[in-house]
Each structure stands twice: as C-alpha cells, then as structure tokens.
Amino acid sequence: MSGDSIESVLQESRLFPPPASFSAQARVGSMAAYEALAARAAAEPERFWAEIASELTWAEPWKRVLEWDLPDAKWFVGGRTNVSVNCLDRHLAGPRRNKAALLFEGEPGDTRVYTYHQLHREVCKAANALDELGIRAGDFVAIYMPMIPEAVIAMLACARIGAPHTVVFGGFSAEALADRIKDSRARLVITADGGWRRGAIVPLKDNVDKALEEVDVEKVLVVRRTGGDFSWKSHRDVWWHEAVDKASPVHEAPALDAEHPLFSLYTSGTTGKPKGILHTTGGYQVGAYYTTRMVFDLRDEDVFWCTADIGWVTGHSYVVYGPLMNGATVVMYEGAPNQPGPDRFWDIIARWGVTVFYTAPTAIRAFMRWGDEHPAKHDLSSLRLLGSVGEPINPEAWMWYRRVIGGDRCPIVDTWWQTETGAIMISPLPGATPTKPGSATRPLPGIAADVVKKDGTPCKANEGGFLVVKRPWPSMLRTIFGDHERYTKTYFGDIPGCYFAGDGARKDEDGYFWIMGRVDDVINVAGHRLSTMEVESALVSHPKVAEAAVVGRPDELKGQAIVAFVTPKGGITADDALARELRQHVVEQIGALARPEEIRFADALPKTRSGKIMRRLLREVASGSTARGDTTTLEDNAVLEKLAQSYQQEE
Ligand code: WT7
C-alpha cells in the first residue's frame, strides 16, 4: 500500500482494515464484536460500567452505579477505593510485582527503571512525607515538574492520601503558575530545581519563587534534578530527597469516597481565565482503566510510550493512571524530540523496545519535515500500534505515520477526547475498526457521542454540526473548580439535554466521526489549547497596548498559529521592537506556547455596531486568501466557519 498516492486514498475514502494477525490476538477482534459490545453498553449502560469497575479493587462496593441529575453526575455512589492502590498495590500479589512499571530516560541520557514493587515503595514513602508536612485528604497540591519519575511518584502519593493534585505544565510561566496556585488554593508546591530541555535548564524553582511573590503556600518540596543554582528559602523549602528518603516505605492507603476529588487541571475556555476541570476518584479511574485497555489493547509484554507531558490530561490518563492500572510498562522521556538529534524518539523506541506509541499530529508533522532518514536509522520493528491525539490529524500526516513509522503494519488509533472527558471517547478499536485517514472513527462502547444541530436534533450523514455526548460517562468532569455555574453554562447550556464539547464535527455515511475543530474562541496551537481571550488579556496588560484581538490561522505544522491584531496606545510607535516586546510579554504572562506567531498593528480594530470585534473578518485577513492544505480540510474550514458563526451569534 505504500505506493498509494494520498489523492487516491482520499478519493476512494479508503478503509484500512486491521491486520488479521492483530485482530486474531486483540480483545475486540471484529466489527461484529464491537457492535455487540456497543449495543450491550447502550442497552444497559449502568451494568456495562459496573462490570468494568468490578475489575478494579474497591474497599467498599458502591450502592448505586449512577446518580444523574443533569448536569450533575455521581458514579459508583457509596463506593470507596483508592486510585494509587489500583495503580500499584493491586499488582503486587502476582507476577507483575517485579515487572518494570516505569522506564525513564532523561534528556542528557541518564536512565532509571522502577519495578511495580519499587514504585509502590517510593509512592508510600512520598505519601508519608506529605503526611509529615501536614498535607491532609482534601488539601490541594500543585505539581510543577519536569518529566521525571518523581513527578509520577508525586501524583500517585497525592492520590494515595486523597490530596487532589493540580499539575501545572512546566512550560507555563511564573504568572500562569501563580494564577493556578491561587485558584486551586494549593497548600504545597512540588517542583524541581529545574528540568532539561534542548540542553538547557528550565528554571522551575525560580519560577515557583516568582509565583510565590503573588500567592502564598506553606511549603515547597524540591526535587534535585539538574544540580543548577537557585535560591533556597529556608522557611519554606524542603528537599524532596530529605523528606522522602527518611520516610517509611509502609503506608496504608485510606479508602476514599468514589466522588472524592482526584485532581484538577486547568484548561483554556472562551474567557481570559483558565478553568480548573475537576475529576473525581471512582469514575475517573474506571474511564482511564477501560480506555487504555480497549484503545491500546495492552498486553503484559507491551512497552507503552505516550509522549505527552504530565502537565496535560493526556499525561495524566495515558502516562500515569491508565497504563499503571493496567499493569503496563511505561516509557517516560524528559526532553525535546530533537535533542541531541532529530532521531531521539526513534532511538528511544528501538532501545526500549516500545510496542505502542502515542503522540500528537503536530509532532508527526515535524518528524515528516525533518525527513525519513531519521526513523530509517533505527529498528522500529517492535512497534505494533500507533496512536494520535490532540488535534485533527491531516490525511498526509496519517499516511506518513502509518508508512514510515508503522511500516504499513501497525493500526493507527486517532483518539478524540478532552481534558473534560478525562479519557478517550471516540477512537478505533485497533483489532476491530477499519480506519480512514483523518477520522477518529466511532465512539467507544458506552459513549453516547453524536453530531447534532443547535436544537439537539441529529444531523444527517455528512452534515456539519455540534459534537455532543448524550449520556453521562464515568470519567466526565464534575465541575469547574469554584464555579459550578460556569460548568453548567459552558457544557450543558447550549444544546438541550447534552454535554457540548465545543467542537464541530460531521458523521459520514458509515457513522464515522470527522472532527472539524472548535466552534468557540478556543484555538489549538501545536496540540495545546488556548483561548484567544487569554492571549488578548495578556496583550492588553502591557502598558503600550490600547486594544488587541487574537485569532488562529491555519498552520501547516502547528495546526493553528496565533495572529494578534494590536492597536498601540497614542504616541507609541508600532515597530519591530514593539512586536518583540509584546511577544516576550505574552511569554511571561502565559508561557512560550502562547507566543504570537505574528503581530499586526492596526489603528483600529473592525467592530460591529454593538462594539463586538469582528473576528470572522480578522480570521480571513489573518489566513490570507491563499488556499492551504488539501481540499477536505478546506471544505471543513468553510463548514466550521459557518458553525462557529451560528454558535456565537446566539450568545
Ligand atoms: C480539544 C481538547 C485530550 C487530549 C489532549 C487535548 C481537540 C483532541 C482530537 C482528535 C481532532 C482533537 C478538540 C478537543 N482534539 N483530540 N483526535 N481529533 N481534534 O485535550 O487540551 O482538553 O483539548 O482538542 O478540539 O475539543 P484538550
């Protein structure tokens, strides 16, 4: 199939059936089996989820599977459990006890391996250390860490004692960190002296100190990673190795209520203020466990590598919780994909024998650009399954991924989900679902996803509409921390009776979902979710800016790129130096991921008579009139533009 042109594949809307050898060993090995499972889940959803939940350990069984009072769901009501027990203790009685849980590789090339037994010991020690520091069940802990084993240990220790964690991506600025510490009311920050990225040190501890000029916490627990310099605040700072090393490796995990908060994770919405998405214990663990098992079809001999940072939900569900609950071996890599060279990922896959690889389209497009010679240098024959997540994958990138990385032999699972959904919602089952490049295919059994019109009625085949979920699912968010009204309005206020995801989509004649992108003012830059308003607020907080409007424009590498239209204050010269200053300002306010690709100065911004900025016009200006990408994407963009208008008009 490698000779097929992208045009012929698209024209024929070619199906790629799973290889027979794969299906023969898979948990779900045919579409008939998928349909049967999906039908059973739809007919008796509570029974379906209860059966999955029963595979995990519960200290006390639930009394009711679900209490649903739209928009509020409670799952496994009355049940008591502990996610850390399901990730660790559960495996200690059998042969997984001495199996590798974590294969860690630092950017400089240092490696560490933890077996389940060892990881359990470290987590117990950390749990005791947290207890010693006065952290109790219900206290929030902020984690601002590089991708190192201590980050996983910290998350699991928090989960173990019932202290909800809020992980802040290490690429966020001190300012963004301060906002998240404030909003979550964290009592403790766990960080490191720094982390390695492209051969340089990310000054995590310095950023924490800067953030704590604005908000106070009781203690800062500091992991020694780089050995670099930073200032020690003796009244507040505690070395991780000192606190954890002396702690006892015995820790009895408390049985937590199924609805006990497990973590919050901040993500961008349509306003300038990120939302703390709150997930709870019982439902989240069932969702992460089930989807990892189904979508990645994990077996004991697998080596699973999800390249996401733990600062994103993908890192929560598919670096930490999902794979560990399944007793898998997980690869964790600290640094950049092109350090020291553009083949680092392929080198890692070959050396650790990775069998299942899960990454983002933006990374795949970068690899494509860097050239086929880099993967060609390494033996990638251990791979048996590939995954994609975070943004729509264009068919060219899909085909390249399949051919060059997967050797035309590995199924690809294009997984659609969100921070809010906690776990994968729409995805092929690798042994069952014939795939189409660019489609996330069908909802997982148990997930009532659909495409509907604004009034909630289903769209016809190939008609663009809004992506919704019609029934609650265990790993759904429970609230926006501190703002339940915003939760209700954002997710249940638009389309009657449904959870609305914010995405536009269509279903084709085979019932396959094609995600078209956000219809709200959220943009997706290199797989990172940003609100245009958030970047605008960052810009207008600069003393030289009178007004700013931010839009996304299609970008071949990042999916979308940020274009900012800025009106400087009177008397300020709009020049390159100002543009540089503003870019740097956004980096300081939010982080490098929000740096505008382009800043265009304008004397005034186009507005409607009621004073609303005409974003549609700006989007057109930012995109230019030149056609980009393939025709499928162009068509989708036109439909999406219409959907976005109809969504926003009525607001
Ligand atoms: C938004 C959620 C949950 C994974 C990481 C992103 C977009 C996510 C896909 C996909 C097309 C996708 C959607 C969604 N998205 N996966 N497979 N195909 N679009 O999580 O930051 O909460 O963003 O990412 O627009 O709403 P997130």
Side-chain angles (χ1 to χ4, degrees):
M1 284 183 206
S2 51
D4 295 348
S5 71
I6 180 81
E7 289 79 15
S8 73
V9 169
L10 288 174
Q11 260 162 26
E12 295 161 28
S13 170
R14 170 82 65 75
L15 284 172
F16 290 86
S21 57
F22 194 104
S23 302
Q25 296 183 48
R27 284 201 177 77
V28 181
S30 69
M31 270 320 252
Y34 162 82
E35 299 283 6
L37 204 58
R40 190 157 70 77
E44 290 185 284
E46 295 187 20
R47 183 157 167 192
F48 174 80
W49 290 116
E51 275 172 25
I52 296 160
S54 311
E55 292 173 22
L56 295 170
T57 300
W58 296 77
E60 253 175 67
W62 53 88
K63 296 196 172 60
R64 271 179 313 285
V65 177
L66 170 66
E67 267 175 26
W68 176 227
D69 182 9
L70 187 141
D72 300 311
K74 286 185 183 156
W75 282 91
F76 310 109
V77 182
R80 298 186 82 81
T81 183
N82 188 299
V83 185
S84 138
V85 167
N86 277 310
C87 287
L88 301 168
D89 307 52
R90 198 164 79 85
H91 307 307
L92 299 184
R96 283 178 183 160
R97 179 184 186 87
N98 301 313
K99 174 181 173 175
L102 205 56
L103 309 174
F104 165 74
E105 180 162 320
E107 195 185 77
D110 53 320
T111 62
R112 273 189 270 168
V113 176
Y114 289 83
T115 64
Y116 273 91
H117 166 74
Q118 289 172 311
L119 191 61
H120 174 257
R121 250 180 93 84
E122 291 307 311
V123 169
C124 286
K125 280 158 61 181
N128 283 320
L130 291 179
D131 187 67
E132 189 68 25
L133 288 169
I135 301 301
R136 300 284 169 262
D139 292 341
F140 275 72
V141 173
I143 297 178
Y144 185 64
M145 294 269 269
M147 283 290 285
I148 57 174
E150 286 82 356
V152 176
I153 293 165
M155 288 168 74
L156 290 168
C158 285
R160 195 169 183 92
I161 66 170
H165 54 68
T166 188
V167 182
V168 181
F169 172 55
F172 276 121
S173 67
E175 198 66 39
L177 173 63
D179 290 345
R180 285 154 179 77
I181 293 173
K182 245 180 257 172
D183 192 82
S184 66
R185 295 176 220 140
R187 291 186 56 199
L188 171 78
V189 180
I190 307 181
T191 189
D193 54 356
W196 291 107
R197 186 87 192 170
R198 280 197 192 91
I201 291 177
V202 184
L204 296 169
K205 175 59 166 62
D206 287 347
N207 288 347
V208 170
D209 287 349
K210 220 188 277 171
L212 295 186
E213 287 168 14
E214 279 177 51
V215 54
D216 206 22
V217 299
E218 288 160 41
K219 293 283 172 206
V220 178
L221 199 49
V222 189
V223 175
R224 180 145 57 204
R225 167 65 186 144
T226 62
D229 286 338
F230 64 90
S231 67
W232 188 260
K233 313 270 186 233
S234 53
H235 65 286
R236 195 169 64 197
D237 296 347
V238 180
W239 279 118
W240 168 280
H241 57 264
E242 284 175 7
V244 173
D245 285 1
K246 67 168 194 262
S248 156
V250 180
H251 181 271
E252 199 175 325
L256 300 166
D257 189 89
E259 286 298 335
H260 187 81
L262 176 66
F263 67 83
S264 72
L265 193 57
Y266 285 80
T267 190
S268 298
T270 50
T271 72
K273 187 173 152 17
K275 324 176 266 199
I277 303 299
L278 190 81
H279 284 285
T280 58
T281 300
Y284 174 81
Q285 75 175 4
V286 170
Y289 166 75
Y290 164 68
T291 54
T292 307
R293 207 171 66 114
M294 294 293 271
V295 175
F296 301 109
D297 193 45
L298 285 187
R299 295 192 235 131
D300 261 315
E301 58 275 31
D302 275 319
V303 175
F304 181 70
W305 184 21
C306 164
T307 66
D309 191 281
I310 51 142
W312 311 113
V313 74
T314 309
H316 283 55
S317 300
Y318 303 107
V319 176
V320 184
Y321 293 114
L324 295 180
M325 274 189 278
N326 280 278
T329 297
V330 171
V331 168
M332 181 181 202
Y333 169 60
E334 177 187 29
N338 52 355
Q339 182 70 24
D343 62 336
R344 183 63 181 269
F345 274 21
W346 321 125
D347 187 34
I348 290 175
I349 290 176
R351 276 187 293 104
W352 293 104
V354 172
T355 59
V356 182
F357 179 63
Y358 189 32
T359 196
T362 195
I364 297 167
R365 290 191 294 263
F367 300 141
M368 253 173 106
R369 187 171 288 190
W370 294 342
D372 295 11
E373 64 271 28
H374 303 295
K377 273 189 281 194
H378 299 276
D379 177 8
L380 304 181
S381 63
S382 58
L383 289 172
R384 67 180 194 93
L385 175 60
L386 302 174
S388 169
V389 61
E391 50 181 319
I393 179 165
N394 49 314
E396 290 84 349
W398 195 99
M399 294 295 291
W400 183 88
Y401 196 29
R402 182 185 151 87
R403 180 173 54 84
V404 179
I405 306 306
D408 278 325
R409 126 197 122 250
C410 306
I412 296 179
V413 289
D414 173 4
T415 62
W416 177 88
W417 60 297
Q418 308 177 290
T419 307
E420 291 88 339
T421 67
I424 296 167
M425 302 289 275
I426 304 177
S427 165
L429 295 184
T433 318
T435 49
K436 301 180 188 183
S439 169
T441 77
R442 312 247 322 248
L444 295 185
I447 302 301
D450 203 358
V451 178
V452 301
K453 291 185 255 199
K454 188 101 208 212
D455 63 5
T457 55
C459 288
K460 292 192 291 273
N462 289 316
E463 189 184 355
F466 302 106
L467 181 56
V468 299
V469 188
K470 294 180 159 172
R471 268 200 315 265
W473 65 101
S475 63
M476 68 189 276
L477 78 165
R478 299 299 192 264
T479 191
I480 292 172
F481 187 71
D483 197 348
H484 198 61
E485 208 180 305
R486 187 175 176 198
Y487 162 81
T488 306
K489 193 168 163 286
T490 307
Y491 303 108
F492 295 90
D494 280 309
I495 295 166
C498 296
Y499 167 86
F500 174 46
D503 282 319
R506 69 180 165 88
K507 264 195 321 186
D508 69 14
E509 52 288 340
D510 296 323
Y512 278 41
F513 286 68
W514 297 79
I515 314 296
M516 298 186 302
R518 305 287 306 196
V519 302
D520 51 13
D521 291 321
V522 168
I523 50 178
N524 194 325
V525 182
H528 301 320
R529 185 167 153 183
L530 282 166
S531 131
T532 54
M533 289 260 290
E534 202 179 342
V535 184
E536 285 164 13
S537 333
L539 284 166
V540 297
S541 73
H542 190 281
K544 292 181 185 164
V545 173
E547 217 176 10
V550 166
V551 295
R553 78 151 141 70
D555 181 90
E556 265 173 37
L557 202 59
K558 298 175 175 176
Q560 282 184 296
I562 301 175
V563 180
F565 294 83
V566 174
T567 308
K569 279 192 183 148
I572 303 287
T573 327
D575 55 10
D576 283 354
L578 179 61
R580 271 197 303 277
E581 197 177 322
L582 296 182
R583 275 206 195 88
Q584 187 50 32
H585 182 68
V586 174
V587 171
E588 279 159 23
Q589 291 294 307
I590 305 173
L593 72 179
R595 181 191 286 120
E597 182 85 14
E598 213 182 305
I599 292 196
R600 298 200 186 186
F601 293 111
D603 292 336
L605 299 175
K607 290 192 188 138
T608 62
R609 239 177 284 168
S610 61
K612 267 188 134 183
I613 292 171
M614 294 163 85
R615 286 173 189 287
R616 185 184 141 75
L617 200 70
L618 291 178
R619 273 198 290 267
E620 276 168 18
V621 173
S623 309
S625 49
T626 42
R628 286 160 189 272
D630 60 272
T631 44
T632 322
T633 317
L634 265 187
E635 271 168 23
D636 283 354
N637 280 349
V639 181
L640 186 62
E641 192 64 47
K642 266 194 227 141
L643 277 175
Q645 264 179 286
S646 79
Y647 172 69
Q648 282 157 7
Q649 258 161 21
E650 290 168 45
E651 273 191 283

